[in-house]
Amino acid sequence: MALFTTPIIIFSFLFSPFFDISTDAKFSEQFAEATTNSPHRTAEKTTHLHFYFHDIVSGPHPTAVTVAGTKNKFGATAVIDDPLTENPDPGSKVVGRAQGIYATSSKDTVSLLMVLNFVFVEGVYNGSALSVLGRNRFLEPVRELPVLGGTGIFRFARGYALAKTVTFDVGTGDAVVEYNVFVLHH
Ligand SMILES: *[C@@H]1O[C@H](CO)[C@@H](O)[C@H](O)[C@H]1NC(C)=O
């Protein structure tokens, strides 16, 4: 991550036996539908999205840049425009981008405030977005972030995202994070 480029011991938590969620490459699945009693509301769907978030700090084209504060210190703030791909490989199909801000919002610097839009380009989701606002204790094996809303196909969205670090390069600060997002929407 953009805010952490010095060595941090985080490899032991990368693979947790708990929360082991699907790691297949499928980007989306809609697995439930429920109608409400009110005639004024449309059917509600549940969608599961699965993708990989690439936080690129190093090299000539970083997708995460520190814009305020000091790296590794309380208050460090980064703006990101990170590609979201179908597989952990950064060269795999791009399904969207994560655009927003994260900042170290705890004095012990192990927790981030994340304010993000996941903006999708894949299939029927092209042009639709989900808004995430949450606390990311990034040393935990799996972090849960609330999804507060959405646009396009995701109007009225609410749900949660599970974030799990796949790789973190302690030399560069580059990170790949697996996301599983579950949302109810109209
Ligand atoms: C997404 O929509 C835009 C604008 O309508 C279009 O230019 C683009 O080709 C679409 N992308 C994909 C991957 O379908």
Side-chain angles (χ1 to χ4, degrees):
M1 284 168 290
L3 309 179
F4 305 95
T5 52
T6 56
I8 299 172
I9 307 307
I10 61 163
F11 286 108
S12 59
F13 66 81
L14 293 183
F15 300 99
S16 163
F18 307 105
F19 307 103
D20 226 39
I21 30 205
S22 154
T23 52
D24 67 41
K26 187 159 68 169
F27 166 56
S28 72
E29 66 181 335
Q30 240 173 48
F31 55 82
E33 189 165 310
T35 51
T36 61
N37 292 328
S38 163
H40 305 296
R41 297 187 60 188
T42 54
E44 199 158 71
K45 303 167 195 76
T46 303
T47 296
H48 169 209
L49 300 173
H50 176 238
F51 51 81
Y52 293 84
F53 167 107
H54 300 266
D55 204 47
I56 306 159
V57 178
S58 65
H61 304 294
T63 61
V65 293
T66 302
V67 296
T70 308
K71 279 185 183 178
N72 306 320
K73 294 268 187 347
F74 174 57
T77 302
V79 172
I80 69 167
D81 184 357
D82 284 352
L84 306 174
T85 63
E86 209 168 45
N87 291 307
D89 174 2
S92 65
K93 185 179 196 179
V94 173
V95 296
R97 305 194 72 85
Q99 300 175 332
I101 293 171
Y102 58 72
T104 50
S105 56
S106 64
K107 291 287 280 173
D108 59 9
T109 74
V110 298
S111 149
L112 303 172
L113 165 71
M114 300 191 79
V115 184
L116 298 180
N117 290 308
F118 289 137
V119 183
F120 299 103
V121 296
E122 172 63 13
V124 295
Y125 305 101
N126 188 9
S128 296
L130 288 172
S131 296
V132 172
L133 173 63
R135 177 169 175 255
N136 184 353
R137 282 177 57 82
F138 58 88
L139 296 181
E140 299 293 321
V142 178
R143 293 83 69 185
E144 181 178 340
L145 302 164
V147 175
L148 300 191
T151 61
I153 210 168
F154 292 123
R155 281 181 182 171
F156 289 107
R158 62 204 187 284
Y160 62 97
L162 299 177
K164 183 176 172 184
T165 304
V166 178
T167 60
F168 176 67
D169 185 320
V170 295
T172 63
D174 292 351
V176 179
V177 181
E178 178 183 19
Y179 272 85
N180 275 281
V181 180
F182 298 86
V183 283
L184 286 170
H185 60 97
H186 283 183

